[in-house]
Structures are given as C-alpha cells and as structure tokens.
Amino acid sequence: MRKNILLWGCAVAFAAAVVGCATAPTDVEVSRRAAAVLKDSFKANGQAGLDRLDQDETQRLCTLYANKPLPKDVAEMIEKLNLASIKWPADGKWLGDWKNGERVAQEGRGKQFSDDPKGPVGGNCYACHQLTLQEVSYGTIGPSLLNFGRLRGNTDETRKYAYGKIWNADAYSACSNMPRFGHSQILSEQQIRDLVALLTDPESPVNK
Amino acid sequence: MTVMTRLAGVAAAIAIVGAAATAAFAQSSAVDEIARYRAALQDGNPAELWEARGEDIWKSPRGPKNVSFATCDLGQGPGVVKGAYAQLPKYFADADRVMDLETRLVYCMVTQQGYADADAKKNPFGGPGQKSDIEALVAYVTSQSRGARMNVALDHPKEKEAFALGAKMFVFRGGTHDFSCATCHAEDGKRIRLQDLPNLMTVAGAQKAYTTWPAYRVSQGELRTFQWRLYDCFRQQRFPELIFTSDASIALTMYLARNANGAAFDAPAIKR
C-alpha cells in the first residue's frame, strides 16, 4: 500500500522533466491496488458478501485487458477454461418449456443485496436483448435474438449452442458482457432449458 | 435448395421484416412518450425544496459544538460555496486525503461541529419518513455551482492516484454476474430496457452524466446524490454494499468528475 503511494510520487516528480520514471506503477500494480481498495470500500449486505469482490481468473484477466485489445492466446485460454466448466444436461435434453422461459427472461430480480435470497431469480434477458415482438421494452447491450430458432435452424446443434452460451458465455466469446448464468449459479439447469425452448421452439413468440 | 424452399424462405423473411417494422413503430412511440414525459418534468423541479432546506442547515449552528458550516472549507476558502462543487473531488492537506463533497461535509461535521463520525454518516440517503441532511446540504452546495465549468485538478500525487484507481475500478469485473461499470457504460447508444445509458468512457458522455447529478428522482420522490448513484449502480451490479464516503467511491467520483472537465455544471437536475 505504502509502496504504491511512493511510486506515484516518483512518477509525478519526474513527469515535468519528461524523464519519466522507471518505477511508475504498472497496470498490474494499479489493478492490484484497485482490488485492495475496493475490498476496503464495501461491506457485506444480505446475500451479497465481500467474497463477490474476489475475482476468478476470467474476471481478473478481463479486468486487466479491459482497455486494450485482448491478445489472441489469452482469449483462447479464457474460452477453453470456461468451455471446460459447462455442465451439459445429463439426460441430453436441451428443451424445457418456452412459457416458463419467457418468465425467466422477464424476471429482473435475483442476487442483489436488496432481493429476497429465497427468490425469485431471473435471467433478465430483456434488459439487454430483444426477444419477441410483443415486448417493446428491451435493451440493446446484447444483439437482438428475435427469430433465433428460425434463423439458426431448429436443430440439436442450435439447442446445444444456446444452452452452452447461456451456461457460460465466456466459453464462446472471451470477456463477454453476458453473465455466466449456469457457471455462476444464477440460473438452474431447468431455467436454462426453459430459455433454450424460448429461443428455439417453433411455438415460442421468439420465432413467431 | 429448390425454388419452392427458396420462395418460402423469402416469404418468411418478408414476414419477419414486416413484423419487426410493427414492433419498431410500437417501440418508437413508447420512446417518444418517455421523451415527452421527461420534457414535462423540466417544468418544475422539487429539488428546490432540498436546496432551501440545505441552505438553512448550512447557515445554522448545529452539532455538539453548536457551530455552522461558515468555517467549513470546501476547497475555495472557509464558508465559500459558490463554484466549489465544480472543482471537487480534490486533495485536502488538513485531512491528507482526496475528498468528494459528501466526504468533506462529514469531515466538517466531525472536526468543527463535534459530531461522532458514525453520527455524521448515519443517514446519507433519505427514504420514506426519513430526511437526510446530507442530501439537503449536497443539493444546496451543488446548486451554487450551476453554470460553473467543471474544473477538477490532477495536481497532487494523491489526486493522480485517485483518478488512476477510479479508472481501473470502472472496468473491475466482479460479483455473480461479472459486471463492471463498463459493462453498461462503455458504448454509445445502448439501453437497459428503455433506459438510455451514457457512455462514461467518452468526454461527452461523462460530461452529460456527471453534470446532471445530483438529481431529484421522480420515481423515488428523493433528491439523490452522486454517492447514491454509485451505491445503487453497485447494488444492481450484484456487488456488496458500497460504503458511504469510502476510498473507492471517491476514486470513481474523481475519475468521472475529471472526465467531465470543461462542461457547464447543471444540477440539481430532475430525472424519471
């Protein structure tokens, strides 16, 4: 802690002379210090404990590379790591009930310290994605998923991709903005199956 | 691919485009309605009530030592309120710390008015039947910077440190959902549901957002401060609770306030 402050002093003292400072804090040092200060700046509240600030390898790397291009080898490593974490359904059934999937997609509650820890917990998909024509209140951080099944084909391959992507988005796109819903135990296996149905079932409003 | 399946594909595509156009119309009218609602809000801002109460608190003797804020230095000299907020956060030698407005107000309440630290911080955000003096003071002090150009310095090493840490915290991913501030605030023209999101990594985005806080939130019936804005963003990020006036809260405020430099401050504002 003390060391970092001194390093900053060094960087400042030399900046005017355009000499630079050989020991100016590196990005890794700033990241470490930021993580430590964050840890001292939060308190546990309900279901949201301080352990939520402990980054796993994926979160740490995505933070480190947030403001610069993600090197190809790092991206591949992150995707491999996350792909290995996907728990595929034991019975090979990808499809649940699209009607329940729509409820999961609409539900924004879950995991906030202000939420009831007993539930409900949703995927809040509409916060970021367009899914159906009926719901006009949708966000645009993620791509539109309208006609997902119609455009990609009602096949096992499509269903498996949708299941894996919802379980762990970083397996397909390193440092995705999308939460890892299965990996991080936000949604249950059944909820994810229901979302796969919402996306791929020909009867779902996503494909109507 | 046969001619028939190709034709069927074209028909399906036309149906999709047609339906999408209907939805786009429904949505653009919803967005228009929201824009009209926001414009109507600008007619009168209840934040004035908080500003008036804050001015009263600022000028009245209070606390165990029964003194007013007349000796409180917000960076422009004891008791000077005019333009002070547009230059915060800044390094204060007496506290040897970078402070935002809320932190400085607490500092004055403790060192000059004699409050215990915990008492000064115990009610940072108002709620039903519970008024917050901090929110009122913030409303008053910020109102005295309306029209002033944001001018946050990065001179002292600790100011530079706070800015660098705030920039890193802005992209720090954590929690159950892997969210960072940048998840929602690093691209132009994005929305959550129908709520427009400022891109805080651009100068224009930071200027527009930072200069319109604090704000009276119609949906909550409360004047909300920048400390509250950060606290509630982190709640939605699924992080634990951001501690009021913590170092991280000040670092992030420093990062965003500095990025807003040059823009005319225009708050307390009114938001949905």
Side-chain angles (χ1 to χ4, degrees), chain B residues 135-209:
Chain B
E135 281 179 343
L137 283 163
V138 168
Y140 168 60
V141 173
T142 57
S143 74
Q144 298 301 302
S145 278
R146 193 185 292 279
R149 297 267 159 204
M150 288 301 301
N151 184 22
V152 176
L154 288 188
D155 296 329
H156 193 276
K158 289 197 175 182
E159 291 171 344
K160 290 185 200 308
E161 184 195 22
F163 181 84
L165 290 176
K168 186 48 83 172
M169 289 168 187
F170 192 84
V171 297
F172 181 93
R173 285 183 179 231
T176 51
H177 287 52
D178 303 334
F179 289 153
S180 70
C181 307
T183 305
C184 292
H185 296 295
E187 283 186 79
D188 288 337
K190 297 292 184 184
R191 304 191 312 248
I192 287 182
R193 292 279 185 163
L194 290 180
Q195 174 68 52
D196 291 324
L197 299 164
N199 178 356
L200 300 176
M201 298 189 90
T202 63
V203 170
Q207 287 180 331
K208 191 175 170 210

Side-chain angles (χ1 to χ4, degrees), chain B:
Chain B
M1 199 187 254
T2 67
V3 173
M4 278 311 287
T5 52
R6 224 179 301 157
L7 281 177
V10 171
I14 290 169
I16 290 167
V17 171
T22 309
F25 176 75
Q27 184 180 60
S28 78
S29 63
V31 171
D32 287 349
E33 281 305 317
I34 291 168
R36 264 196 288 280
Y37 168 69
R38 291 208 172 108
L41 290 181
Q42 303 304 322
D43 281 352
N45 188 347
E48 287 169 14
L49 301 172
W50 273 256
E51 293 169 28
R53 191 163 67 85
E55 182 173 10
D56 200 41
I57 295 170
W58 180 267
K59 291 176 176 168
S60 306
R62 60 205 296 273
K65 292 185 183 168
N66 204 36
V67 296
S68 76
F69 281 93
T71 51
C72 180
D73 185 353
L74 298 177
Q76 308 306 313
V80 177
V81 181
K82 197 85 189 161
Y85 189 70
Q87 298 192 44
L88 291 173
K90 73 187 296 289
Y91 173 78
F92 288 88
D94 54 7
D96 189 28
R97 191 184 175 199
V98 174
M99 294 173 154
D100 64 347
L101 174 60
E102 288 93 319
T103 307
R104 192 62 183 171
L105 289 170
V106 167
Y107 178 84
C108 289
M109 287 169 74
V110 171
T111 58
Q112 295 172 3
Q113 298 177 336
Y115 286 100
D117 186 68
D119 287 338
K121 292 176 181 167
K122 76 177 175 196
N123 192 18
F125 313 132
Q130 171 197 316
K131 284 181 178 173
S132 164
D133 287 353
I134 294 275
E135 281 179 343
L137 283 163
V138 168
Y140 168 60
V141 173
T142 57
S143 74
Q144 298 301 302
S145 278
R146 193 185 292 279
R149 297 267 159 204
M150 288 301 301
N151 184 22
V152 176
L154 288 188
D155 296 329
H156 193 276
K158 289 197 175 182
E159 291 171 344
K160 290 185 200 308
E161 184 195 22
F163 181 84
L165 290 176
K168 186 48 83 172
M169 289 168 187
F170 192 84
V171 297
F172 181 93
R173 285 183 179 231
T176 51
H177 287 52
D178 303 334
F179 289 153
S180 70
C181 307
T183 305
C184 292
H185 296 295
E187 283 186 79
D188 288 337
K190 297 292 184 184
R191 304 191 312 248
I192 287 182
R193 292 279 185 163
L194 290 180
Q195 174 68 52
D196 291 324
L197 299 164
N199 178 356
L200 300 176
M201 298 189 90
T202 63
V203 170
Q207 287 180 331
K208 191 175 170 210
Y210 193 82
T211 57
T212 53
W213 285 97
Y216 177 80
R217 285 299 287 266
V218 177
S219 53
Q220 302 179 13
E222 290 288 343
L223 186 292
R224 292 309 190 191
T225 62
F226 204 72
Q227 280 277 337
W228 177 87
R229 178 60 281 172
L230 294 174
Y231 160 95
D232 207 54
C233 270
F234 278 120
R235 179 182 66 81
Q236 293 171 85
Q237 267 174 251
R238 275 73 180 173
F239 276 41
E241 184 183 333
L242 181 66
I243 297 170
F244 180 62
T245 68
S246 59
D247 285 343
S249 71
I250 295 167
L252 277 163
T253 303
M254 174 57 111
Y255 173 65
L256 295 165
R258 167 74 185 191
N259 286 344
N261 264 8
F265 186 72
D266 193 23
I270 184 165
K271 294 173 191 267
R272 54 128 190 121

